[in-house]
Amino acid sequence: RHWDNAIAVSCSHILKKNRDLTKTWKGKTDQLLRVDEHDFTMRPAFGGPAIPVGVDVQVESLDSISEVDMDFTMTLYLRHYWKDERLSFPSTNNKSMTFDGRLVKKIWVPDVFFVHSKRSFIHDTTTDNIMLRVFPDGHVLYSMRVTVTAMCNMDFSHFPLDSQTCSLELESYAYTDEDLMLYWKNGNESLKTDEKISLSQFLIQKFHTTSRLAFYSSTGWYNRLYINFTLRRHIFFFLLQTYFPATLMVMLSWVSFWIDRRAVPARVSLGITTVLTMSTIITGVNASMPRVSYIKAVDIYLWVSFVFVFLSVLEYAAVNYLTTVQERKERKLQERFSCSCGIPHSKTMMLDGNYSESDANSLAGYTRNQMVPEEEKPEKMVVHLAMSNESNSSRKRGLKGHVGLRIIQNTHAIDKYSRLIFPGTYIFFNLIYWSVFS
């Protein structure tokens, strides 16, 4: 029994010490803050000078940058500082009182909004992410966690070697500068960012703050605050996905200059393949970009590369056409020379690269006196063979010389010049391009 009495006394003491204070706290809160005694639909010091409202921001994350929609998404802690003497209360230890979002609906708070925002919301998991801290002298700290998607006017004239400057703008919706003076509380120190902020395609160069007045013709002047940040695009992704493939396609198109001009299927298929591949690269890049009306830096590079590939196809078309014209002329000259020699058993063979050993042997027995006179030679070289009955070894040595002549003649002069002009011009273009845009 004595032990039971001791336990009962102890429990009674604990209950008295930890009694529920929420029953009396409501009365004390109303009495201290006097919320019901004032009209909080009006700003503090209504009718007097503009109330100063300080602002500071802590950027939690820069979630995404969209080139197609020209906007960005940012999550931040937005804090307001002002003084409302209607909320002052007596305190012996000068400690503040902290409340959640339920008291915000009963008092006056600044009506700050995001200019040019597309979507924004206050986080509400697990409750509304709002904090209100009131000090005894009436100073108020109002903080909220917000995610906002705002417009960013981007200039893609140097894309993808570009830098973009975006800004998040804050402004009072109802109160002009005569009623509310919005300012950065600590100047440039009012903006703080998380060191872990990073983006896949951009390097964040700097954050800074500015402020100015904004004018509306129907309502007047307003204080506007700017959160400015500069982004520089990472180029390595585009080097791998765009620039290197385009450069390789251009270099691949040059291979046709070293292919036999009579290998029509090889050269035509190579040219068409490189043209179609360049078209695919251009289409893929433009599919992920907004349809702007000006030329981007990547467009210049891709379209110049496309022109080089296309010109390599036209180059072979010119080579093939001139070769056909040349053969037609030589065929006519061969027929004319055959009739004008006056030697019934003479044979004249033109080396265009297509001959056999039997053709060469058939010319045995003709002397140099039976050749066409020097003044009757055409513009293009026509080679006549005068071979005597020599040993088989001598004929084989002659055929080896003709094979070397065949290789020389199967390379058109246009191909020779193209082997130097195309690479040289493309290298010169790259030097100018990277020096201008980088």
Side-chain angles (χ1 to χ4, degrees), residues 34-49:
R34 301 189 301 275
V35 174
D36 295 333
E37 296 180 8
H38 302 282
D39 184 7
F40 283 97
T41 59
M42 297 182 181
R43 68 174 178 85
F46 182 80

Side-chain angles (χ1 to χ4, degrees), residues 60 213 333 409:
E60 181 182 7
L213 289 175
L333 289 174
Q409 288 188 340

Side-chain angles (χ1 to χ4, degrees), residues 242 246 278 281-282 285 297-307:
T242 303
M278 283 301 305
I281 295 175
I282 294 173
V285 171
V298 68
D299 293 335
I300 297 176
Y301 193 89
L302 292 180
W303 279 105
V304 170
S305 300
F306 182 84
V307 169

Side-chain angles (χ1 to χ4, degrees), residues 397-414:
R397 286 195 301 268
L399 289 176
K400 290 181 180 180
H402 298 322
V403 171
L405 184 60
R406 172 188 177 184
I407 296 175
I408 296 175
Q409 288 188 340
N410 277 350
T411 299
H412 199 278
I414 297 179

Side-chain angles (χ1 to χ4, degrees), residues 269-293:
S269 60
L270 180 61
I272 296 301
T273 301
T274 53
V275 168
L276 293 179
T277 305
M278 283 301 305
S279 300
T280 303
I281 295 175
I282 294 173
T283 303
V285 171
N286 291 329
S288 60
M289 293 297 298
R291 298 178 180 178
V292 295
S293 58

